[in-house]
Structure formats: C-alpha cells, structure tokens
Amino acid sequence: MYLFKNVSGLRDFLEPFRTKSRKIGFVPTMGALHEGHLSLIRQSLESTQCTVCSIFVNPTQFNQAEDLEKYPRNPAKDLQMLYEVGCHAVFMPPVGEVYPRGIDTSVAIDFGQLAEGLEGRFRPGHFQGVAQVVNRLLSIVEPQQLFMGQKDYQQYLIVRHMVRALELPVEVVMSPTVREANGLAMSSRNARLSAAQRNQAAIIYKSLQDACQWVKQGLSPEQVREKALQQLGIPGFRPDYFEVVDGLTMQPLDNFDGLGMAVACTAVWAGEVRLIDNTILQP
Ligand code: PAF
C-alpha cells in the first residue's frame, strides 16, 4: 500500500493505470475508519483494478468549529486497517494541498430542494462543503467509480447531482449501511459514545424498522413521523428530525401512493454526539 500526502505523488502513481485503461475506484473518508468504510473499500477492490482511499477531515463541511475539533482522528489505526484490507493507495493531504491558497475550489451548483431539508436545514452550508471537497478530490483522483455509503443518503444524492450537473465521468455507487450487532449504523462518531449510549442508540434503528411496519399497517407519513419521534425521545436522546421523504427529491411525503421511492431519515443527538440513519421504506 502506498501513502501520498501531495497531489503530484498520487497522480504519478495513478498515471500507469490511466494509460493502460485500468479502472480506478475511490473511497473518500474523513478517517476514524470502521467496518462501513472497509465494506466500501472491498466493493471497490472487487470492481476496479486500483483502489484509492482518501483520509481528509474537510473543514469546509463543518458548520460548528467544536464539531470539527472533536471529530475523531486515528490515522495510525486507519492506515493499519487499510493495509490489512488490501487498499492500494491512501491519500492523506494537508489542508493546503486540497485547498491551495488563492484558488477558488467552490462548486457553483444550486442543489435547491435536495439540500434544503434534513441535514441541510440543521447544518447550513454542510452540503456545499461536501460538494466542494468531493469535486476537488475527484479532480485529483479521476476515478471511474466513486463509492459512498447509504448511511449518508442525502449526501449521496447531492454528490450524484453534482456529478450529473458537472458531467463528471464517474459512476457513483451507493453501498448498504453496515451496522453494529444491535443495529446502530456504523459511524466514526460512534467512537465518542459511552458504552451505555451505544447500547441505547439501538433505538434509532428500531424506530426505522418500526416505521417499515407502520407503513405496512397503513399509517400515513405524518403518523409514522409522530410515532417515531415519540419513540426516539428517551432520556439522554434528542431527535433533530425524523422525516419520511421522497427518495429522489428529499421532499416530505404526504402519502404512500406506492409509486415513488420513500425513505425515512433521522438525526438524533445522543448526549453531545449527533447520529444519523435512514431506511428505504418503499423502493
Ligand atoms: O461522508 C464523509 O465521510 C464525508 O462527508 C466525505 C464524503 C468524505 C467528504 O468529506
């Protein structure tokens, strides 16, 4: 496995793959890796000839300085995990390499309603920051396939929209959420939970599973939302939202007409740690 800290080193390494038309797969991360990231790496290893993983805690997607400061970091363990899974190259750049001084790397795309609700509402500017860094990383790595997890479903839609809007030659592949034994979605932020919070956080997945049952029983999106919010209101936990949305537009649904895709999305504070999760209610 090769480790690169600057753009030119990584591009030199990737050049022979490009000239021989070998597929490059890319998994962008912010480190503090877990089994969810490794499943993306494995998927890339299966379908491409060279897998690149980036580890970069992107400052432009944090709307709170404290969240950025407290974001878990464990580069030595990350590298060990990537080596063991068989990743080919790791890109671990300093901020100045991703955002060179004096160069405008912002992405001029209006994501409209895709970015208005849910995470967009509670984390203003977050998706512009995600789009900025993913676009910049894609321009450096130039992969044929980009692998992203379903846990960040809205982020996946934003990136897919950006790829289409900018006509980038990359396929965006979404992989299923990997979960702990109790159903909690794997996330780098889980490292900040106490053992008790980790156990109790199983309620998040339970609310999503119950939502699937409530839909089958004929409840409306609003009834599902209310029941789930009630369920999530356990001591020490505070939901920001539980929404039932159209899986293509991220707009709240009024009914389940059986035609479109319906997704239940939630964000919940477990003490000082904010966790998100979702499930597809109607494919
Ligand atoms: O999902 C994440 O870890 C980040 O938002 C991403 C896609 C690596 C961009 O910084």
Side-chain angles (χ1 to χ4, degrees), residues 147-172:
F147 296 88
M148 309 201 76
Q150 188 193 319
K151 183 180 74 68
D152 299 286
Y153 184 73
Q154 195 176 9
Q155 165 173 279
Y156 157 76
L157 285 188
I158 292 280
V159 169
R160 201 178 66 164
H161 182 88
M162 177 185 75
V163 162
R164 286 180 183 166
L166 301 178
E167 296 184 25
L168 303 177
V170 62
E171 179 194 355
V172 188

Side-chain angles (χ1 to χ4, degrees), residues 119 232 238-242 265-269 274-277:
E119 289 307 284
L232 289 166
R238 182 172 57 82
D240 265 351
Y241 62 80
F242 186 105
C265 300
T266 186
V268 182
W269 287 94
R274 191 170 181 278
L275 304 169
I276 63 170
D277 202 352

Side-chain angles (χ1 to χ4, degrees), residues 27-31 37 54 56-58 61 71 126 129-131 133-134 137 148 152 155 159 188:
V27 181
T29 80
M30 297 205 296
H37 295 114
S54 64
F56 178 66
V57 183
N58 172 37
Q61 72 188 74
Y71 198 83
H126 169 66
V130 169
V133 76
V134 174
L137 292 169
M148 309 201 76
D152 299 286
Q155 165 173 279
V159 169
S188 306

Side-chain angles (χ1 to χ4, degrees), residues 50-204:
C50 175
T51 294
V52 181
C53 173
S54 64
I55 298 178
F56 178 66
V57 183
N58 172 37
T60 69
Q61 72 188 74
F62 287 84
N63 53 327
Q64 284 178 347
E66 197 193 343
D67 194 21
L68 171 61
E69 209 178 284
K70 290 195 173 159
Y71 198 83
R73 291 166 173 86
N74 203 339
K77 187 169 166 223
D78 290 346
L79 290 175
Q80 183 65 30
M81 288 167 84
L82 290 172
Y83 173 73
E84 281 169 15
V85 77
C87 183
H88 299 113
V90 184
F91 185 44
M92 228 171 166
V95 175
E97 200 65 17
V98 177
Y99 301 126
R101 202 179 277 263
I103 294 180
D104 182 6
T105 53
S106 59
V107 170
I109 295 176
D110 179 3
F111 292 102
Q113 54 182 21
L114 266 189
E116 274 162 15
L118 312 173
E119 289 307 284
R121 179 166 152 235
F122 284 89
R123 304 180 69 190
H126 169 66
F127 287 126
Q128 281 299 335
V130 169
Q132 178 183 25
V133 76
V134 174
N135 184 43
R136 175 77 181 118
L137 292 169
L138 286 175
S139 75
I140 295 167
V141 181
E142 292 185 64
Q144 279 68 48
Q145 289 188 311
L146 168 68
F147 296 88
M148 309 201 76
Q150 188 193 319
K151 183 180 74 68
D152 299 286
Y153 184 73
Q154 195 176 9
Q155 165 173 279
Y156 157 76
L157 285 188
I158 292 280
V159 169
R160 201 178 66 164
H161 182 88
M162 177 185 75
V163 162
R164 286 180 183 166
L166 301 178
E167 296 184 25
L168 303 177
V170 62
E171 179 194 355
V172 188
V173 183
M174 183 178 83
S175 290
T177 303
V178 179
R179 299 182 179 281
E180 310 265 2
N182 70 358
L184 174 64
M186 292 218 179
S187 163
S188 306
R189 291 173 195 270
N190 294 356
R192 293 180 55 209
L193 297 172
S194 68
Q197 284 172 325
R198 218 175 243 253
N199 284 335
Q200 288 173 306
I203 190 78
I204 300 172

